């Protein structure tokens, strides 16, 4: 009797961080956040993790994350003491810092605020570094690059776009999953506050 060429065996889903308890971000991989509220998306991910978070941004950037100002999104239990900052002087050192941090597995989340999307080769290197970090470090690190405009880094695990959609009475955002390896494009309205977020698919 010959063995079948194909089987119906189920593949185990890869470990993922569930943003707002629902939206999966595969761990040990690189994701992209873009749009005018991309820093708010990063703050939501900070609130979904436990442990130190590394935030990498160019030394010449004129706008910097205010850890105290991020608390209304990350939640009061996520104080500014969780954030570690790296501000490289050279453009090429931004991705080098991220790669080394992911490879160490010393933090669950590494965020790089970039001036533009990286190319395919650097993205692949960051994927490999995150996978190595998951085997040698304390965490399965998740990498998030923040890119201006519509983003567009090739080869990322997923791409998310976030924009404000506030009205007079409610803080609200429009969140889109524009690309993902394991899920279709989708969009949601997000409102509320830490511990009481409301996520409604559109």
């Amino acid at each position: 009797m010959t063995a079948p060429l194909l089987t119906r065996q189920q593949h185990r889903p890869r470990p993922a961080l569930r943003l707002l308890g629902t939206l999966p971000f595969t761990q040990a991989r690189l994701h992209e956040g873009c749009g005018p509220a991309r820093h708010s998306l990063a703050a939501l991910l900070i609130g979904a993790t436990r442990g130190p978070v590394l935030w990498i941004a160019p030394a010449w950037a004129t706008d910097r994350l205010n850890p105290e100002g991020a608390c209304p999104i990350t939640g009061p239990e996520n104080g500014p003491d969780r954030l570690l900052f790296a501000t490289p002087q050279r453009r090429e050192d931004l991705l080098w810092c991220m790669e080394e941090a992911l490879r160490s597995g010393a933090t669950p989340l590494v965020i790089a605020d970039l001036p533009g999307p990286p190319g395919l080769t650097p993205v692949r290197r960051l994927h490999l570094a995150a996978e190595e970090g998951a085997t040698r470090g304390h965490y399965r690190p998740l990498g998030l690059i923040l890119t201006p405009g519509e983003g567009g880094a090739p080869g990322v695990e997923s791409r998310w776009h976030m924009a404000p959609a506030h009205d007079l009475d409610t803080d609200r955002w429009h969140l889109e999953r524009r690309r993902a390896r394991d899920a279709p494009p989708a969009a949601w309205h997000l409102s509320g506050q830490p511990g009481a977020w409301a996520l409604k698919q559109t």
Side-chain angles (χ1 to χ4, degrees):
M1 181 176 177
T2 60
L5 182 61
L6 301 175
T7 70
R8 295 184 181 273
Q9 182 179 359
Q10 296 279 336
H11 293 284
R12 289 188 305 172
R14 293 178 293 172
L17 175 69
R18 297 275 169 181
L19 181 64
L20 305 173
T22 304
L23 308 176
F25 280 71
T26 305
Q27 293 170 307
R29 302 292 287 170
L30 182 72
H31 304 263
E32 181 180 21
C34 59
R38 59 189 180 277
H39 298 99
S40 297
L41 173 64
L44 288 171
L45 278 171
I46 292 171
T49 63
R50 295 294 175 266
V53 173
L54 178 62
W55 188 291
I56 304 165
W60 62 89
T62 56
D63 53 342
R64 297 284 177 86
L65 178 74
N66 177 4
E68 296 284 354
C71 285
I73 295 177
T74 61
E77 71 280 3
N78 293 293
D81 56 312
R82 288 188 59 209
L83 291 172
L84 307 170
F85 291 95
T87 54
Q89 297 283 343
R90 301 185 307 166
R91 183 181 294 261
E92 56 268 29
D93 289 340
L94 292 167
L95 294 179
W96 180 85
C97 285
M98 186 176 207
E99 185 177 336
E100 292 302 306
L102 289 170
R103 183 173 287 113
S104 74
T107 174
L109 179 61
V110 181
I111 300 167
D113 196 357
L114 303 178
L120 181 58
T121 297
V123 167
R124 286 176 173 168
R125 290 180 62 90
L126 292 168
H127 281 311
L128 292 173
E131 291 167 3
E132 185 177 345
T135 63
R136 66 188 292 189
H138 184 67
Y139 297 97
R140 295 184 60 82
L142 187 151
L144 177 69
I145 53 172
L146 302 177
T147 54
E150 302 298 302
V156 291
E157 184 72 18
S158 67
R159 179 178 301 115
W160 299 78
H161 183 278
M162 191 166 176
H166 309 311
D167 57 32
L168 290 176
D169 303 317
T170 309
D171 288 338
R172 185 166 54 192
W173 294 266
H174 184 67
L175 177 63
E176 293 180 57
R177 181 175 59 213
R178 293 189 166 179
R179 178 192 187 282
R181 292 183 186 273
D182 299 329
W188 298 265
H189 283 307
L190 171 66
S191 60
Q193 57 189 356
W197 291 113
L199 192 65
K200 181 180 180 182
Q201 190 163 2
T202 61

